[in-house]
């Protein structure tokens, strides 16, 4: 199998290769034209014909440009005769637009999956997508491998802050994950309820069931932190209810604009995450876990 990666993922590709042998690798170079259009160019195209390929591609930051580069990479691999194409998207961009929340909105997650299918991706591997069920529903005909790293991330965070923390889901979407983690790790867990006004974007958070958080150490667990709005609101509520320390562990740390500032101001003592997106708060490398999963395909 040949490993294909864009130049901005060279370090990840190197890490993946340390954990899984590939017959060779191909780097995708990027050219940006003055009008903003981009062009992908693959090296060593003579090695492609008749071989299985595995692409590692981060689609964040610069999501829309990177998605275009990904489609161009796939088009080129098809042109040069790649056999089976496996695609690793450590973070699945657009996965929060998994339904038409408002009349007339596009269903972007489905559109991306449709593009990947039409470009002959047979296996898609991704780390903890926002909504697993929606992904599985849209991807019929393509094999999906979901790499669940919640257990590894939360266990690593607990090693740093101590096992006496309460696990908190910031919304009902994460409640099942937190319940499963709490039961597996034998840790108290509780769920918050989040409501988002789909027009204004205004978020309100409340405690789902009566629970005494006073004086406790809390670890909020989520799939991603984007603007930090959700976690800030949750942290403020938990602090108001008397939590002594509030930490957060999230798989995908997008941390857009002033998210870290917002989290600090809301009283978050530490942020823990993975390296699905490059960031300074990663305590877990996902490449060994991806390699393990890939070796079974
Ligand atoms: C939403 O349901 C997700 O699980 C995250 O809680 C959310 O996307 C985080 O976004 P933000 O950081 O902008 O609140």
């Amino acid at each position: 199998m040949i490993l294909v990666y864009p130049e901005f993922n060279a370090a990840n590709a190197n890490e993946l290769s340390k954990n899984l042998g590939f017959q060779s690798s191909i780097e995708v170079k990027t050219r940006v034209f003055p009008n903003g259009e981009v062009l992908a160019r693959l090296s060593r195209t003579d090695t492609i014909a008749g071989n299985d390929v595995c692409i590692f591609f981060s689609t964040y930051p610069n999501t829309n440009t990177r998605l275009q580069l990904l489609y161009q990479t796939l088009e080129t691999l098809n042109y040069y005769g790649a056999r089976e194409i496996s695609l690793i998207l450590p973070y699945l961009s657009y996965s929060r637009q998994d339904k038409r929340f408002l009349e007339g909105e596009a269903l972007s997650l489905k559109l991306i999956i449709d593009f990947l299918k039409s470009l002959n991706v047979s296996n898609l591997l991704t780390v903890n997508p926002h909504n697993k069920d929606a992904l599985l529903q849209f991807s019929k005909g393509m094999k999906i491998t979901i790499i669940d790293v919640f257990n590894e991330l939360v266990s690593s965070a607990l090693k740093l802050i101590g096992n006496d923390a309460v696990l908190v889901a910031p919304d009902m979407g994460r409640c099942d994950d937190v319940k499963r983690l709490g039961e597996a790790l034998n840790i108290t867990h509780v769920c918050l309820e989040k409501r988002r006004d789909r027009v204004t974007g205004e978020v309100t958070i409340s405690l789902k069931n009566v629970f005494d958080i006073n004086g406790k150490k809390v670890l909020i667990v989520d799939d991603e932190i984007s603007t930090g709005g959700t976690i800030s609101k949750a942290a403020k509520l938990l602090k108001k209810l008397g939590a002594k320390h509030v930490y957060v562990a999230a798989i995908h740390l997008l941390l857009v604009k002033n998210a870290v500032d917002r989290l600090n101001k809301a009283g978050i003592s530490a942020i823990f995450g993975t390296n699905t997106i490059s960031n300074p708060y990663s305590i877990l490398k996902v490449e060994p876990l991806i390699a393990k999963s890939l070796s079974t395909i």
Side-chain angles (χ1 to χ4, degrees), residues 82-264:
R83 208 169 70 134
E84 192 164 85
I85 303 179
S86 298
L87 171 64
I88 302 164
L89 295 180
Y91 170 66
L92 183 59
S93 294
Y94 283 101
S95 57
R96 288 183 294 178
Q97 189 63 22
D98 54 9
K99 55 170 88 84
R100 298 183 205 274
F101 294 98
L102 295 178
E103 179 67 27
E105 279 183 350
L107 191 41
S108 15
L109 175 61
K110 180 179 177 298
L111 180 66
I112 288 176
I113 301 297
D114 287 348
F115 269 128
L116 299 181
K117 276 194 219 166
S118 71
L119 288 162
N120 298 324
V121 172
S122 2
N123 306 310
L124 172 64
L125 294 91
T126 191
V127 179
N128 293 87
H130 175 67
N131 182 342
K132 180 175 136 194
D133 294 337
L135 173 59
L136 294 175
Q137 181 201 333
F138 300 146
S139 58
K140 298 221 165 73
M142 180 165 63
K143 184 171 165 11
I144 300 286
T145 305
I146 290 172
I147 303 155
D148 183 353
V149 304
F150 261 133
N151 204 316
E152 285 82 354
L153 173 62
V154 170
S155 303
S156 306
L158 290 172
K159 272 192 198 134
L160 297 168
I161 64 170
N163 262 329
D164 53 338
V166 175
L167 299 186
V168 173
D171 55 34
M172 295 312 287
R174 226 37 59 202
C175 197
D176 283 351
D177 286 319
V178 165
K179 188 165 176 276
R180 184 174 43 80
L181 286 164
E183 284 167 4
L185 302 168
N186 200 17
I187 304 240
T188 315
H189 48 276
V190 62
C191 297
L192 303 181
E193 204 164 16
K194 174 173 87 176
R195 289 180 200 285
R196 189 187 290 269
D197 185 316
R198 288 285 159 205
V199 179
T200 62
E202 179 67 20
V203 169
T204 47
I205 291 194
S206 55
L207 200 55
K208 173 106 173 93
N209 300 107
V210 179
F211 185 85
D212 184 13
I213 218 100
N214 197 28
K216 303 237 164 61
K217 183 192 286 177
V218 168
L219 178 63
I220 308 176
V221 179
D222 207 355
D223 59 328
E224 67 175 78
I225 303 178
S226 181
T227 63
T230 303
I231 302 302
S232 301
K233 285 242 157 106
K236 281 181 190 160
L237 172 71
L238 294 164
K239 283 272 180 183
K240 205 167 133 198
L241 295 172
K244 197 165 155 208
H245 297 293
V246 182
Y247 302 89
V248 61
I251 309 276
H252 311 289
L253 297 182
L254 287 82
L255 300 174
V256 303
K257 292 187 190 149
N258 59 346
V260 173
D261 240 33
R262 258 178 121 171
L263 297 174
N264 288 337

Side-chain angles (χ1 to χ4, degrees), residues 23-36:
Q23 71 189 70
S24 59
S25 61
I26 291 178
E27 189 169 80
V28 182
K29 297 251 185 251
T30 309
R31 190 167 161 200
V32 183
F33 294 100
N35 64 357

